Amino acid sequence: MLHNLKPFFVLKPLVAVAAVLMAACGNDNSTQQSSTIGDQAVDVDQIINFKAMFGEEPYICGQTYSDVGAQSSDYTAKDFRLFASNIIAMLDDGTSQALNVAEDGVWQHDGVALLDFGHGCDAASDNPVNSKIEGSLKLTASQVVSQICFDIGVPFELNHEDNTLQASPLNVSGMYWAWQSGHKFFRLDGVTSAGGFNVHLGSTGCDSGGKTEAPTTCANPNRPRICLALDPSTQTIIVDAKALLADSDVEQNTPNTAPGCMSGNNDPECPAVIPKFGLDFMYIPSSDDQTLIEADTQSVFYVE
């Protein structure tokens, strides 16, 4: 009888060993599955912070800054706003993707964000300010943002519409010129003892069949592309108004022209301003005279 039972006792440990091996294989599969899930891309919230500066001093609406421009003038800041769009994140693995810009009903719409560092400081109450762009990216656990690129401006297809019918922030009247020329992409206003000196960047040479008809093209789009090495979790993009005005005599303005530079190709104040955005500027003081002012390395935006 004992001889007949021997196979039973021999097989039993073998079954146990097989069970252990199967369990081990199951654990390996589970580990691999967890690793795969961990590497899947998920929506990760992103905040891109900006800060307006006048050289080493923070921008404060209504504050007077010294040593501004080519003649070291005093300059009282009154308005500082800009639109940003076409925002692309470059990742450390060499890939890139568009930022999914959040819709907040006030500052961001349809991929366009309005940064308002302060305006209307002469009014009885302060206007709201916004110094960040919020959105999301689809990232794996191993992907890190290493660079941000964006346009200063409103995309062409959104720029030439009736702004009273557009959603906020594209309906902000202080950042709009007219149907043909569209929005002011960048606005810096200020005054000196001699009067106002403003910088308004926007598209020019936008011809169409009528004042309320959108153009098909603009000779001078004037949408500077800004690319900066940036870790959004720890760093901030600085917008330096003093650097923009560095070569301008802010106490002088050519008679019968807009105060400062408003992107006009015949404006003598613009050759010292527009190239600071990293844009070429064709200066055309008369029909038989034109000079190409080549772009500088943009000096208005940097990271800290």
Side-chain angles (χ1 to χ4, degrees):
M1 293 293 291
L2 292 175
H3 176 76
N4 293 336
L5 291 174
K6 187 175 182 180
F8 174 80
F9 289 106
V10 171
L11 291 174
K12 188 171 182 180
L14 292 177
V15 171
V17 171
V20 170
L21 291 174
M22 289 178 66
C25 290
N27 288 340
D28 286 346
N29 289 339
S30 176
T31 301
Q32 181 63 41
Q33 185 178 19
S34 298
S35 176
T36 301
I37 291 173
D39 285 341
Q40 288 181 347
V42 297
D43 288 329
V44 179
D45 291 340
Q46 302 289 317
I47 298 178
I48 305 172
N49 289 300
F50 290 75
K51 184 177 182 180
M53 299 286 288
F54 256 83
E56 299 299 318
E57 300 179 76
Y59 167 83
I60 299 174
C61 190
Q63 181 164 314
T64 299
Y65 298 90
S66 60
D67 194 28
V68 175
Q71 301 301 319
S72 300
S73 305
D74 289 342
Y75 184 90
T76 303
K78 297 291 186 179
D79 196 328
F80 201 172
R81 290 178 276 181
L82 64 92
F83 282 111
S85 61
N86 191 20
I87 305 162
I88 302 293
M90 311 298 292
L91 308 180
D92 61 347
D93 61 5
T95 63
S96 64
Q97 60 179 278
L99 181 73
N100 180 24
V101 179
E103 295 277 339
D104 66 4
V106 181
W107 302 110
Q108 304 183 167
H109 174 67
D110 212 0
V112 180
L114 174 61
L115 296 166
D116 186 341
F117 304 116
H119 73 280
C121 40
D122 294 330
S125 60
D126 292 334
N127 289 298
V129 297
N130 178 54
S131 59
K132 65 182 182 298
I133 299 173
E134 297 184 273
S136 63
L137 297 167
K138 285 193 173 296
L139 302 176
T140 66
S142 60
Q143 289 179 311
V144 177
V145 176
S146 60
Q147 186 182 64
I148 291 290
C149 295
F150 56 94
D151 291 344
I152 300 301
V154 176
F156 183 86
E157 61 273 14
L158 297 174
N159 193 36
H160 303 281
E161 298 182 10
D162 181 353
N163 81 311
T164 63
L165 302 178
Q166 292 183 293
S168 184
L170 296 173
N171 61 357
V172 174
S173 60
M175 293 295 287
Y176 189 73
W177 273 330
W179 195 306
Q180 283 180 310
S181 50
H183 295 79
K184 300 172 186 177
F185 300 157
F186 182 106
R187 178 171 185 168
L188 173 68
D189 290 2
V191 297
T192 70
S193 59
F197 194 99
N198 309 324
V199 176
H200 295 177
L201 180 69
S203 297
T204 62
C206 304
D207 294 325
S208 66
K211 291 183 178 180
T212 58
E213 183 178 339
T216 56
T217 60
C218 293
N220 308 294
N222 287 338
R223 289 182 187 83
R225 184 74 173 159
I226 308 298
C227 289
L228 300 165
L230 177 74
D231 178 354
S233 65
T234 61
Q235 295 180 306
T236 297
I237 297 176
I238 304 300
V239 192
D240 189 350
K242 192 171 186 178
L244 178 63
L245 300 174
D247 293 334
S248 300
D249 183 350
V250 295
E251 293 191 76
Q252 297 293 326
N253 191 74
T254 305
N256 303 317
T257 66
C261 168
M262 298 195 183
S263 302
N265 289 84
N266 62 345
D267 191 332
E269 276 64 61
C270 284
V273 174
I274 302 299
K276 292 287 189 293
F277 289 106
L279 294 172
D280 289 339
F281 181 73
M282 184 63 74
Y283 179 45
I284 310 175
S286 65
S287 58
D288 58 354
D289 183 14
Q290 61 180 32
T291 302
L292 176 63
I293 313 297
E294 294 185 353
D296 294 336
T297 300
Q298 81 80 20
S299 56
V300 181
F301 298 85
Y302 66 92
V303 170
E304 70 172 17

